[in-house]
Amino acid sequence: MNGSDVHIVAMTGSYFRGDSVPVLSPEDEAKFTPVTFNYYDQLNGYEHLHSLGIGHHFYQGRYTDAIGEVLDLDKKTIVHIPNVNSGESTKDKLEEIGRIIDVIGHVEGEDPDTGIINVRRQDTGTIVRVADLVDDTEQKKRGDTLHFLAHTASKDGDAVDIIIALGMAKEGFDWPFAEHALTVGYRASLTEVIQIIGRVTRDSPGKAHAQFTNLIAEPDASQGEVKVSVNNMLKAITASLLMEQVLAQNFTFKTKKFDGDDSAVPGQLKIKGFKEPSSDRVKQIVETDLNDLKATILQDDTFARAAAGSVDAETTNKVLIPKIIREKYPDLTEAQVEEVRQQVVVDSVIKNGEVRTVGDKRFIKMAEKFVNIDELNINLIDSVNPFQRAFEVMSKSVTPSVLRIIQDTITATRIEFTEEEALALVPRIKNWIKVNDRKPDARAEDPTEKRYADALLWLQRAKQKLEAQKRATEMVESE
């Protein structure tokens, strides 16, 4: 790069890397002009496909007993079964294939040239053509199936109906008729999720909607890996919420300088107290790195628990998020960190919010309240946990007993305080004591009260340590 004036273009097909090693150093990357073509732009350019749904379905026991609840046999589907080393796997992938086929119906026969399995549906009696890419005991047979999928099924919409895969049918796989990606188990890599979703977001005649469904195991108190299961569930949901945000329309945010300042253009929102980017570096992060930054935030273990409601919104927004921004962009000043923080929180809250139009006014739902968009201010937005919907998804989708297991597991995994986090809570603790006329109790049911009590205890211990160090210093000096 340094020894040539050749124009260089560096491209990647995903927002998210599967590993933590950068392709280019930050210094070299800064020499490029970033251009992002996002999913929202892509879908808007399609002729047939106009929407993508992202959802979850939770199960207990074996996934093969629950998959029939989400496997829509009327849709062209790619089923991604779990890796044999994962907790969701039964450890016998061939038996899993047999059980999935049993859910569909009865095997009528198999094409000797292509390996396609003809299964007669139990409900309608029609034939479903299934491609098995899991069974690798006969390499020639699987090779014939892959050849058929690449050369015939990719052009003929009637050639196959369901593809069952394990580690295949992702990056580079071309089946434009696919409407539904049914994925069993949590996928740790956002790149892998992108690849799976990408298989069903090809434009194709007759396909107006595509769907990604994640079949996730509910935590079971009788099993030893409850903590792992809860963390997997949280991360799967927050990853899907991130994907929803990637697909959502992009907004630009400006400072509302005075009441009646309603001169915003379409796609632009004006917010009181909002800090606009003050430097080219912050503008570049906002324009090209926002989704990647959100991914970094959501993949942080502490933040995943905070997103599920174990930490109050202001601590999440004003302590945890800035901490992650500083770690990712150590070159930013504190003022620039605050500008990026506001952009992340505002963008996330707005994209998670439900917008309704009443007459000539627009309202956005935040923290269970509808707020006039013309009256938005940064303090109001900072009072909302931007990823609270992760907990709302769980609350509506699991039984009360399972929800209690999740809450207890999050509570038991104590989030240690830094001095900054504890000090940030002081004004809120003082206000809580004033309102309730008592100190917060660490044994309380309310997670916010418990958090305040823990912070107060941390501050008291820190004060005692400082006083002890001061006394020790005074004794040394007196001697």
Side-chain angles (χ1 to χ4, degrees), residues 309-334:
S310 64
V311 179
D312 67 279
E314 291 203 27
T315 301
T316 299
N317 291 336
K318 295 186 176 180
V319 178
L320 297 181
I321 291 178
K323 179 183 175 186
I324 297 168
I325 293 172
R326 288 188 200 100
E327 291 171 354
K328 186 171 176 66
Y329 305 108
D331 58 308
L332 297 184
T333 65
E334 281 303 302

CSV table of all heavy atoms in Angstrom, one decimal, residues 309-334:
chain,number,residue,atom,x,y,z
A,309,GLY,N,-32.3,-6.8,32.3
A,309,GLY,CA,-33.0,-6.1,33.4
A,309,GLY,C,-32.4,-6.2,34.7
A,309,GLY,O,-33.0,-5.8,35.7
A,310,SER,N,-31.2,-6.7,34.8
A,310,SER,CA,-30.6,-6.8,36.2
A,310,SER,C,-29.8,-5.6,36.6
A,310,SER,O,-29.4,-5.4,37.7
A,310,SER,CB,-29.6,-8.0,36.2
A,310,SER,OG,-28.5,-7.8,35.3
A,311,VAL,N,-29.7,-4.6,35.6
A,311,VAL,CA,-29.1,-3.3,35.9
A,311,VAL,C,-30.0,-2.2,35.4
A,311,VAL,O,-30.6,-2.4,34.3
A,311,VAL,CB,-27.7,-3.2,35.2
A,311,VAL,CG1,-27.0,-1.9,35.5
A,311,VAL,CG2,-26.8,-4.4,35.7
A,312,ASP,N,-30.1,-1.1,36.2
A,312,ASP,CA,-31.0,-0.1,35.7
A,312,ASP,C,-30.5,0.6,34.5
A,312,ASP,O,-29.3,0.5,34.1
A,312,ASP,CB,-31.2,1.0,36.9
A,312,ASP,CG,-29.9,1.7,37.1
A,312,ASP,OD1,-29.0,1.2,37.8
A,312,ASP,OD2,-29.8,2.8,36.6
A,313,ALA,N,-31.5,1.2,33.8
A,313,ALA,CA,-31.2,1.8,32.4
A,313,ALA,C,-30.0,2.8,32.4
A,313,ALA,O,-29.2,2.8,31.5
A,313,ALA,CB,-32.4,2.4,31.8
A,314,GLU,N,-30.0,3.7,33.4
A,314,GLU,CA,-29.0,4.8,33.3
A,314,GLU,C,-27.6,4.2,33.6
A,314,GLU,O,-26.7,4.7,33.0
A,314,GLU,CB,-29.4,5.9,34.3
A,314,GLU,CG,-30.6,6.6,33.9
A,314,GLU,CD,-30.7,8.0,34.5
A,314,GLU,OE1,-29.6,8.6,34.8
A,314,GLU,OE2,-31.8,8.5,34.7
A,315,THR,N,-27.5,3.2,34.4
A,315,THR,CA,-26.2,2.6,34.6
A,315,THR,C,-25.7,1.9,33.3
A,315,THR,O,-24.6,1.9,32.9
A,315,THR,CB,-26.2,1.6,35.8
A,315,THR,OG1,-26.6,2.3,37.0
A,315,THR,CG2,-24.8,1.0,36.0
A,316,THR,N,-26.7,1.2,32.7
A,316,THR,CA,-26.4,0.5,31.4
A,316,THR,C,-25.9,1.5,30.4
A,316,THR,O,-24.9,1.3,29.7
A,316,THR,CB,-27.7,-0.2,30.9
A,316,THR,OG1,-28.1,-1.2,31.8
A,316,THR,CG2,-27.4,-0.9,29.6
A,317,ASN,N,-26.7,2.6,30.3
A,317,ASN,CA,-26.4,3.6,29.2
A,317,ASN,C,-25.2,4.5,29.5
A,317,ASN,O,-24.4,4.9,28.6
A,317,ASN,CB,-27.6,4.5,29.0
A,317,ASN,CG,-28.8,3.7,28.3
A,317,ASN,OD1,-28.5,2.7,27.7
A,317,ASN,ND2,-30.0,4.2,28.6
A,318,LYS,N,-25.0,4.9,30.8
A,318,LYS,CA,-24.0,5.9,31.1
A,318,LYS,C,-22.7,5.3,31.7
A,318,LYS,O,-21.7,6.0,31.9
A,318,LYS,CB,-24.6,6.9,32.1
A,318,LYS,CG,-25.7,7.7,31.4
A,318,LYS,CD,-26.1,8.8,32.4
A,318,LYS,CE,-27.2,9.7,31.7
A,318,LYS,NZ,-27.7,10.8,32.6
A,319,VAL,N,-22.7,4.0,32.0
A,319,VAL,CA,-21.5,3.4,32.6
A,319,VAL,C,-21.0,2.2,31.7
A,319,VAL,O,-19.9,2.2,31.3
A,319,VAL,CB,-21.7,2.9,34.0
A,319,VAL,CG1,-20.5,2.3,34.6
A,319,VAL,CG2,-22.1,4.1,34.9
A,320,LEU,N,-21.9,1.2,31.5
A,320,LEU,CA,-21.4,0.0,30.8
A,320,LEU,C,-21.1,0.3,29.3
A,320,LEU,O,-20.1,-0.1,28.8
A,320,LEU,CB,-22.5,-1.1,30.9
A,320,LEU,CG,-22.8,-1.6,32.3
A,320,LEU,CD1,-23.9,-2.7,32.3
A,320,LEU,CD2,-21.5,-2.1,33.0
A,321,ILE,N,-22.0,1.0,28.6
A,321,ILE,CA,-21.8,1.3,27.2
A,321,ILE,C,-20.6,2.2,27.0
A,321,ILE,O,-19.7,1.8,26.1
A,321,ILE,CB,-23.1,1.9,26.6
A,321,ILE,CG1,-24.2,0.8,26.5
A,321,ILE,CG2,-22.8,2.4,25.2
A,321,ILE,CD1,-25.5,1.3,26.0
A,322,PRO,N,-20.4,3.3,27.7
A,322,PRO,CA,-19.1,4.1,27.5
A,322,PRO,C,-17.9,3.3,27.8
A,322,PRO,O,-16.9,3.4,27.1
A,322,PRO,CB,-19.3,5.2,28.6
A,322,PRO,CG,-20.7,5.3,28.8
A,322,PRO,CD,-21.3,3.9,28.7
A,323,LYS,N,-17.9,2.4,28.8
A,323,LYS,CA,-16.8,1.5,29.1
A,323,LYS,C,-16.4,0.7,27.9
A,323,LYS,O,-15.2,0.6,27.6
A,323,LYS,CB,-17.1,0.6,30.3
A,323,LYS,CG,-16.0,-0.3,30.7
A,323,LYS,CD,-16.4,-1.2,31.9
A,323,LYS,CE,-15.4,-2.2,32.3
A,323,LYS,NZ,-15.9,-3.2,33.3
A,324,ILE,N,-17.4,0.1,27.2
A,324,ILE,CA,-17.1,-0.8,26.1
A,324,ILE,C,-16.6,0.1,24.9
A,324,ILE,O,-15.7,-0.3,24.2
A,324,ILE,CB,-18.3,-1.6,25.7
A,324,ILE,CG1,-18.7,-2.5,26.8
A,324,ILE,CG2,-18.1,-2.3,24.4
A,324,ILE,CD1,-20.1,-3.2,26.7
A,325,ILE,N,-17.1,1.3,24.8
A,325,ILE,CA,-16.7,2.2,23.7
A,325,ILE,C,-15.2,2.6,23.9
A,325,ILE,O,-14.5,2.6,22.9
A,325,ILE,CB,-17.6,3.5,23.6
A,325,ILE,CG1,-19.0,3.1,23.2
A,325,ILE,CG2,-17.0,4.5,22.7
A,325,ILE,CD1,-20.0,4.2,23.3
A,326,ARG,N,-14.9,2.9,25.1
A,326,ARG,CA,-13.5,3.3,25.4
A,326,ARG,C,-12.5,2.1,25.1
A,326,ARG,O,-11.4,2.3,24.5
A,326,ARG,CB,-13.3,3.6,26.9
A,326,ARG,CG,-13.9,5.0,27.3
A,326,ARG,CD,-13.6,5.3,28.7
A,326,ARG,NE,-14.5,6.3,29.2
A,326,ARG,CZ,-15.6,6.0,30.0
A,326,ARG,NH1,-15.7,4.8,30.4
A,326,ARG,NH2,-16.4,6.9,30.4
A,327,GLU,N,-12.9,0.9,25.4
A,327,GLU,CA,-12.1,-0.3,25.1
A,327,GLU,C,-11.9,-0.5,23.6
A,327,GLU,O,-10.9,-0.9,23.1
A,327,GLU,CB,-12.7,-1.5,25.8
A,327,GLU,CG,-12.6,-1.5,27.3
A,327,GLU,CD,-13.3,-2.6,28.0
A,327,GLU,OE1,-14.0,-3.4,27.2
A,327,GLU,OE2,-13.3,-2.7,29.2
A,328,LYS,N,-13.0,-0.3,22.9
A,328,LYS,CA,-13.0,-0.5,21.4
A,328,LYS,C,-12.3,0.6,20.7
A,328,LYS,O,-11.6,0.4,19.7
A,328,LYS,CB,-14.4,-0.7,20.9
A,328,LYS,CG,-14.5,-1.1,19.4
A,328,LYS,CD,-15.9,-1.4,19.0
A,328,LYS,CE,-16.0,-1.7,17.5
A,328,LYS,NZ,-15.2,-2.9,17.1
A,329,TYR,N,-12.4,1.9,21.2
A,329,TYR,CA,-11.8,3.0,20.5
A,329,TYR,C,-11.0,3.8,21.5
A,329,TYR,O,-11.4,4.9,22.0
A,329,TYR,CB,-12.9,3.9,19.9
A,329,TYR,CG,-13.8,3.2,18.9
A,329,TYR,CD1,-15.2,3.0,19.3
A,329,TYR,CD2,-13.4,2.8,17.7
A,329,TYR,CE1,-16.0,2.4,18.4
A,329,TYR,CE2,-14.3,2.2,16.8
A,329,TYR,CZ,-15.6,2.0,17.2
A,329,TYR,OH,-16.4,1.3,16.3
A,330,PRO,N,-9.8,3.3,21.9
A,330,PRO,CA,-9.0,4.0,22.9
A,330,PRO,C,-8.5,5.4,22.5
A,330,PRO,O,-8.0,6.1,23.3
A,330,PRO,CB,-7.8,3.0,23.1
A,330,PRO,CG,-7.8,2.2,21.9
A,330,PRO,CD,-9.2,2.1,21.4
A,331,ASP,N,-8.6,5.7,21.2
A,331,ASP,CA,-8.1,7.0,20.7
A,331,ASP,C,-9.1,8.1,20.9
A,331,ASP,O,-8.7,9.3,20.8
A,331,ASP,CB,-7.8,6.9,19.2
A,331,ASP,CG,-9.0,6.5,18.4
A,331,ASP,OD1,-9.6,5.4,18.8
A,331,ASP,OD2,-9.3,7.1,17.4
A,332,LEU,N,-10.3,7.8,21.4
A,332,LEU,CA,-11.4,8.9,21.5
A,332,LEU,C,-11.2,9.6,22.8
A,332,LEU,O,-10.8,9.0,23.9
A,332,LEU,CB,-12.7,8.2,21.5
A,332,LEU,CG,-13.2,7.5,20.2
A,332,LEU,CD1,-14.6,7.1,20.3
A,332,LEU,CD2,-13.0,8.5,19.0
A,333,THR,N,-11.5,10.9,22.8
A,333,THR,CA,-11.5,11.7,24.0
A,333,THR,C,-12.8,11.4,24.7
A,333,THR,O,-13.8,10.8,24.2
A,333,THR,CB,-11.5,13.2,23.7
A,333,THR,OG1,-12.7,13.6,23.0
A,333,THR,CG2,-10.3,13.6,22.9
A,334,GLU,N,-12.9,11.9,26.0
A,334,GLU,CA,-14.2,11.6,26.8
A,334,GLU,C,-15.4,12.3,26.1
A,334,GLU,O,-16.5,11.7,26.1
A,334,GLU,CB,-14.0,12.1,28.2
A,334,GLU,CG,-13.2,11.2,29.1
A,334,GLU,CD,-13.9,9.8,29.1
A,334,GLU,OE1,-15.0,9.7,29.5
A,334,GLU,OE2,-13.1,8.8,28.8
